[in-house]
Amino acid sequence: MKKLLPFLLLLFIGCSNNRQGKDEGQHKIIPDKKVVLEGLNHPWSIAFLTETDALISEKDGDLIRVDLNSKSRQILKGFPDDLTDSIRAIHFGDNSGIFEVLVDPEFEKNSWIYFSYAAKKEGQGTTTKVVRAKLAKDSLYDHQTLLEAAPFTKEYFHYGGGMVFGGDGKLYITIGERLFWERDEPEIPIAQDVTDKRGKIYRLNPDGSVPDDNPDFGHKAVPGVYAMGIRAAQGITVQPETNKIWFSEHGTIQGDEINLLKAGANYGWPNVTSGRLRSSDYTPPKLEGVSFTAPIWFWPHTVAPTGLTFYTGDEFPHWKNDLIVPGLSRGSLWRFHISEDTIKSVEELFIDDRIRIRKARQSPDGKLYLLTDEDNGKLIQIIPKNIKSQL
Amino acid sequence: MKKLLPFLLLLFIGCSNNRQGKDEGQHKIIPDKKVVLEGLNHPWSIAFLTETDALISEKDGDLIRVDLNSKSRQILKGFPDDLTDSIRAIHFGDNSGIFEVLVDPEFEKNSWIYFSYAAKKEGQGTTTKVVRAKLAKDSLYDHQTLLEAAPFTKEYFHYGGGMVFGGDGKLYITIGERLFWERDEPEIPIAQDVTDKRGKIYRLNPDGSVPDDNPDFGHKAVPGVYAMGIRAAQGITVQPETNKIWFSEHGTIQGDEINLLKAGANYGWPNVTSGRLRSSDYTPPKLEGVSFTAPIWFWPHTVAPTGLTFYTGDEFPHWKNDLIVPGLSRGSLWRFHISEDTIKSVEELFIDDRIRIRKARQSPDGKLYLLTDEDNGKLIQIIPKNIKSQL
């Protein structure tokens, strides 16, 4: 016992020093980038089956399954054969391709995965389509169409296609209005027309049926609509703790926004926008008895915000529960601190290291990843770097 | 001994738990505001004598000494009597008044304080003047003029007046070009004219004499000039560890910048600007053999950046060595993470709680304070708030 005492006392003193170390304060953590995969063909989305086994949708390529350790990749067999051929217009980027991929929250039990893409119909054109299928190894089977946003048109813009499972187990889907020029709007603008499938956000059961508790847009409305007045929204994500849903939207000339999703809301396009219209010769018709929901945030310049996500990992403690928003046009990455539905602070990261980013997504263990929109597209992990002095 | 053992073992177990707590990671710290003083008349600068004893310059009021505990304040007697009367123009804010106040790095020994202000000369107008005086309690004596940026003119804009002691013990001073309309520039623009005192940054010995190792602008140049091509710079500060000096500058229409100060540099005004000129009918003359130094950062919109400072305190570990930049026009507060003279990330704080801010400054113990540019001006302390869940 006596022999133990000095040892125990030393341990105690050692402990005290550690506690002092803890009280001395935290250290500065800086984000750095680590390329995990490359050679991805304009990747749009990633869905994790495990920490290292994931599905990646390549907008201009395939739906693939990757192993983040071995870097191996397999193209999934059985992708629907109505995926449009991607036609690169000379002056404008063709938005067509494969968009979101999600894994069912109960994938272990039911094997369902969900994906959105630009589907074609011969002689008519394309539109946004949402399908689910079961996944076994590298094969898809038992396909079910959940949503097809007819009409099929010759336009190849603004498909939307963002999808997320809400905290309520429902599937939320964004469908863009599918127009390039506002002057091509019909008399009642597409996104303002409850009988038109386009320009809407949907809330569906995982099997594509309509939940009983969806908002009521009237008997003429397209079934499943949850919100309207959407131009082109790709990013949609669930906020931790509140389960509120936030989505990003592209304006035409500026007008890029962050919105809070509310049942039955009308987000105003094209009647109101925080930016400007492309067609100076277009004036939206006056709509009676309509109230529009303003964005929580918009940028005064174009950033083209896309696949946003809330950060809940442990590697960046001071980012906890913040909203991470990637952008295409300026290669931006933003971090929003939100409290009570209000933006409190906004940080732009990697200012000197810009790259077109399509998606920010966490792995099951809370590691933060980005997908870049490039011919040689990359999966990049954001890793913490402790620094003492970085000047 | 046997009786002690369980106790020591419990302590050890307790310690282990604490160590686990430390390894569990850091917690999120959010900045909050605490008003320490109010009723300040458009305060411009604060200089700390101790943690709680400080001098505050009120642009539209007086040079005062305050006690941050008792909140008492005394107007310093003996302020120079050539302080201009502040004439509030009807449409534009009069920039005149008292600007910077600094305490000598060796104040304890020599009692010197330094201040800049808009001085008047009867029948001529105003200009920027820098004076030092000794301080005893609430009285100034032994005044010495260090710099007077003649000519005195009828213009009441763009005095500059920002000052800081460098790591080299020298006094750095910004003097604005004193014009409102670019079309009023003389043939050689003021800031480009080495024989003109205005539109320059100076480096002087504390007694106002010129250091031997200043850059050489030629024999015609105004003594003490360190850099030129300055329109209107108020904020100037020293970077920890590197001792590099950074300053903010106001552009005309946009063109607000953060610059890195370099000996002999020409910051380009009015020949180059990241914004636009006010006078569409003015074209700067072509200058031969001149090379301009670009800003490290500029904003695409007006923020009116002013009294910036580097943060070296312990309350916000993840802000360590970052540059804090307040702005007037949009009530902004920015935090720049800089590494190797490059902006890596930029965060805008207090997005939903904007107030015109003139100065950010640390107390000797590293607490962060702001001065607001208001009739009921405030000294605000930025305090850390630990949060578990803030949604």
Side-chain angles (χ1 to χ4, degrees):
Chain A
M1 201 45 56
K2 276 192 184 168
K3 287 183 186 171
L4 267 183
L5 189 58
F7 174 64
L8 289 171
L9 283 172
L10 279 171
L11 276 178
F12 178 61
I13 291 163
C15 273
S16 307
N17 287 344
N18 273 349
R19 244 177 294 150
Q20 256 182 357
K22 175 183 177 186
D23 295 337
E24 254 163 29
Q26 313 177 17
H27 42 271
K28 195 177 178 75
I29 300 172
I30 299 298
D32 204 355
K33 290 177 178 173
K34 176 175 133 182
V35 176
V36 175
L37 289 178
E38 50 190 316
L40 301 165
N41 192 348
H42 291 267
W44 205 101
S45 180
I46 180 167
F48 288 86
L49 296 152
T50 71
E51 194 61 21
T52 54
D53 176 15
L55 305 176
I56 291 178
S57 54
E58 295 179 311
K59 178 170 82 66
D60 293 351
D62 301 285
L63 188 54
I64 64 177
R65 185 167 183 170
V66 298
D67 180 314
L68 298 190
N69 285 335
S70 70
K71 319 288 183 188
S72 72
R73 60 190 75 177
Q74 309 165 296
I75 295 175
L76 296 187
K77 302 188 189 71
F79 197 89
D81 56 15
D82 61 348
L83 172 64
T84 187
D85 309 309
S86 189
I87 305 161
R88 290 289 187 153
I90 295 167
H91 293 293
F92 303 112
D94 177 358
N95 292 182
S96 308
I98 307 175
F99 311 133
E100 194 81 80
V101 60
L102 293 185
V103 162
D104 194 292
E106 311 215 317
F107 175 82
E108 305 267 311
K109 288 192 218 156
N110 61 33
S111 300
W112 287 118
I113 72 163
Y114 302 72
F115 45 91
S116 56
Y117 62 100
K120 69 184 176 192
K121 194 167 264 192
E122 288 308 324
Q124 293 186 34
T126 62
T127 197
T128 322
K129 190 167 173 181
V130 176
V131 166
R132 75 170 181 173
K134 293 194 179 183
L135 172 68
K137 291 194 193 167
D138 64 346
S139 287
L140 300 169
Y141 63 101
D142 277 4
H143 300 64
Q144 295 176 4
T145 296
L146 305 186
L147 183 60
E148 195 178 77
F152 290 77
T153 68
K154 294 285 194 268
E155 302 263 8
Y156 37 84
F157 294 95
H158 308 150
Y159 292 94
M163 302 197 293
V164 73
F165 276 98
D168 56 3
K170 306 300 181 193
L171 184 60
Y172 293 80
I173 304 167
T174 74
I175 302 290
E177 68 151 10
R178 304 280 295 106
L179 281 195
F180 188 79
W181 297 102
E182 296 89 8
R183 66 180 179 235
D184 294 335
E185 293 278 10
E187 205 177 305
I188 300 176
I190 286 170
Q192 293 299 322
D193 182 352
V194 294
T195 71
D196 194 310
K197 292 197 169 85
R198 302 165 292 176
K200 310 290 186 301
I201 294 181
Y202 292 79
R203 177 177 180 261
L204 304 178
N205 291 318
D207 64 4
S209 59
V210 180
D212 294 330
D213 55 347
N214 260 19
D216 181 11
F217 281 89
H219 68 277
K220 291 187 188 171
V222 170
V225 173
Y226 189 78
M228 58 191 289
I230 297 294
R231 177 177 178 275
Q234 295 177 3
I236 183 163
T237 193
V238 180
Q239 187 177 28
E241 293 180 28
T242 67
N243 276 341
K244 291 179 183 180
I245 294 177
W246 296 71
F247 66 97
S248 57
E249 190 170 16
H250 299 282
T252 308
I253 301 174
Q254 288 89 61
D256 291 342
E257 306 173 347
I258 303 287
N259 290 282
L260 181 53
L261 182 62
K262 291 192 184 294
N266 185 335
Y267 290 90
W269 180 265
N271 289 61
V272 294
T273 167
S274 51
R276 290 178 294 124
L277 305 187
R278 191 169 268 141
S279 301
S280 50
D281 51 343
Y282 175 72
T283 310
K286 215 165 166 48
L287 301 169
E288 299 299 321
V290 178
S291 80
F292 300 120
T293 298
I296 301 291
W297 172 270
F298 67 90
W299 282 266
H301 49 275
T302 296
V303 303
T306 55
L308 66 184
T309 196
F310 282 89
Y311 179 75
T312 57
D314 299 319
E315 292 173 311
F316 300 94
H318 55 287
W319 290 6
K320 195 84 168 183
N321 293 334
D322 289 345
L323 180 60
I324 306 294
V325 185
L328 292 165
S329 61
R330 285 172 202 251
S332 323
L333 188 65
W334 301 85
R335 177 181 68 85
F336 288 80
H337 172 57
I338 297 171
S339 179
E340 291 167 8
D341 299 347
T342 310
I343 308 291
K344 298 293 187 180
S345 71
V346 184
E347 181 174 24
E348 189 175 6
L349 302 162
F350 296 113
I351 292 221
D352 70 323
D353 186 16
R354 295 177 178 280
I355 184 71
R356 285 176 65 87
I357 312 172
R358 179 72 75 176
K359 175 76 76 181
R361 200 88 213 248
Q362 287 189 145
S363 69
D365 285 354
K367 295 194 188 67
L368 185 61
Y369 287 90
L370 306 177
L371 287 172
T372 69
D373 179 55
E374 305 173 276
D375 293 346
N376 180 27
K378 300 171 184 60
L379 176 68
I380 291 175
Q381 188 190 350
I382 304 302
I383 56 174
K385 189 165 69 169
N386 287 350
I387 47 175
K388 284 209 155 173
S389 169
Q390 75 286 15
L391 302 168
Chain B
M1 202 44 56
K2 278 191 184 165
K3 287 182 183 169
L4 266 182
L5 189 58
F7 174 65
L8 289 170
L9 283 174
L10 279 171
L11 275 178
F12 179 59
I13 291 163
C15 273
S16 306
N17 286 343
N18 272 347
R19 243 178 299 153
Q20 256 181 356
K22 175 185 177 185
D23 295 339
E24 256 164 28
Q26 312 178 17
H27 41 271
K28 196 177 176 79
I29 299 172
I30 299 297
D32 204 354
K33 290 177 178 173
K34 176 175 132 182
V35 177
V36 175
L37 289 179
E38 48 191 315
L40 300 165
N41 193 348
H42 290 269
W44 205 102
S45 180
I46 181 168
F48 288 87
L49 295 153
T50 71
E51 196 61 20
T52 54
D53 177 15
L55 304 177
I56 292 179
S57 54
E58 296 179 307
K59 180 170 80 69
D60 293 351
D62 301 284
L63 188 54
I64 64 178
R65 184 166 184 169
V66 298
D67 181 313
L68 298 190
N69 286 335
S70 69
K71 320 288 183 186
S72 71
R73 60 190 75 177
Q74 310 167 296
I75 295 175
L76 296 188
K77 304 188 189 74
F79 197 90
D81 56 15
D82 63 346
L83 172 64
T84 187
D85 309 307
S86 189
I87 303 160
R88 291 286 187 156
I90 296 168
H91 293 294
F92 304 112
D94 177 0
N95 291 183
S96 308
I98 307 176
F99 310 133
E100 193 81 81
V101 59
L102 293 184
V103 161
D104 194 290
E106 311 213 315
F107 176 82
E108 304 268 311
K109 287 194 217 155
N110 59 36
S111 300
W112 287 117
I113 72 162
Y114 302 72
F115 46 91
S116 56
Y117 62 100
K120 69 185 177 193
K121 195 167 261 190
E122 288 309 324
Q124 294 187 31
T126 62
T127 197
T128 322
K129 190 166 173 179
V130 177
V131 166
R132 75 170 180 173
K134 294 193 179 184
L135 172 70
K137 291 191 190 171
D138 63 347
S139 288
L140 300 169
Y141 63 102
D142 277 3
H143 299 66
Q144 295 175 4
T145 297
L146 304 186
L147 183 61
E148 194 178 79
F152 290 77
T153 68
K154 295 285 195 271
E155 302 264 7
Y156 37 84
F157 294 95
H158 307 152
Y159 292 94
M163 302 196 293
V164 73
F165 275 99
D168 57 4
K170 307 301 182 191
L171 184 60
Y172 293 80
I173 303 166
T174 74
I175 302 290
E177 67 151 12
R178 304 279 294 106
L179 281 194
F180 189 78
W181 297 102
E182 296 90 8
R183 64 182 180 238
D184 294 335
E185 294 278 10
E187 205 177 304
I188 300 177
I190 287 169
Q192 293 298 323
D193 182 352
V194 295
T195 71
D196 194 312
K197 291 196 168 86
R198 302 165 292 174
K200 310 291 185 302
I201 294 180
Y202 292 79
R203 176 176 181 263
L204 304 177
N205 291 317
D207 64 3
S209 59
V210 179
D212 295 328
D213 56 345
N214 260 19
D216 180 10
F217 281 89
H219 68 278
K220 293 188 187 171
V222 169
V225 173
Y226 188 78
M228 57 190 291
I230 298 294
R231 177 176 177 275
Q234 295 176 4
I236 184 163
T237 192
V238 180
Q239 186 177 28
E241 292 178 29
T242 67
N243 277 340
K244 291 180 183 179
I245 294 177
W246 296 71
F247 66 96
S248 58
E249 191 171 15
H250 300 281
T252 309
I253 299 174
Q254 290 89 58
D256 291 341
E257 307 173 346
I258 304 287
N259 290 282
L260 181 52
L261 183 62
K262 290 194 184 293
N266 185 335
Y267 291 90
W269 180 264
N271 290 62
V272 293
T273 167
S274 51
R276 290 179 293 125
L277 304 187
R278 189 170 270 138
S279 301
S280 51
D281 51 344
Y282 175 73
T283 309
K286 215 165 166 51
L287 301 168
E288 298 301 321
V290 178
S291 79
F292 301 120
T293 298
I296 300 292
W297 172 269
F298 66 91
W299 282 266
H301 49 275
T302 297
V303 303
T306 54
L308 68 183
T309 197
F310 281 89
Y311 180 74
T312 57
D314 298 320
E315 293 175 309
F316 300 94
H318 55 287
W319 290 6
K320 195 86 169 181
N321 294 335
D322 289 346
L323 180 59
I324 307 293
V325 185
L328 292 165
S329 61
R330 287 172 200 253
S332 323
L333 189 65
W334 300 85
R335 176 181 69 85
F336 288 80
H337 172 56
I338 298 171
S339 179
E340 290 166 9
D341 299 345
T342 310
I343 308 292
K344 298 292 188 180
S345 70
V346 184
E347 181 174 24
E348 189 174 4
L349 303 163
F350 297 113
I351 292 220
D352 70 322
D353 186 16
R354 294 176 179 282
I355 185 70
R356 284 177 66 86
I357 312 171
R358 179 73 74 177
K359 175 76 76 180
R361 198 87 213 248
Q362 287 189 144
S363 70
D365 284 356
K367 296 193 187 68
L368 185 61
Y369 288 90
L370 306 177
L371 286 172
T372 69
D373 180 53
E374 307 173 273
D375 293 343
N376 180 27
K378 299 172 185 59
L379 176 69
I380 292 174
Q381 187 190 348
I382 303 301
I383 56 175
K385 188 165 70 170
N386 286 350
I387 46 175
K388 285 209 155 175
S389 170
Q390 75 283 16
L391 303 165

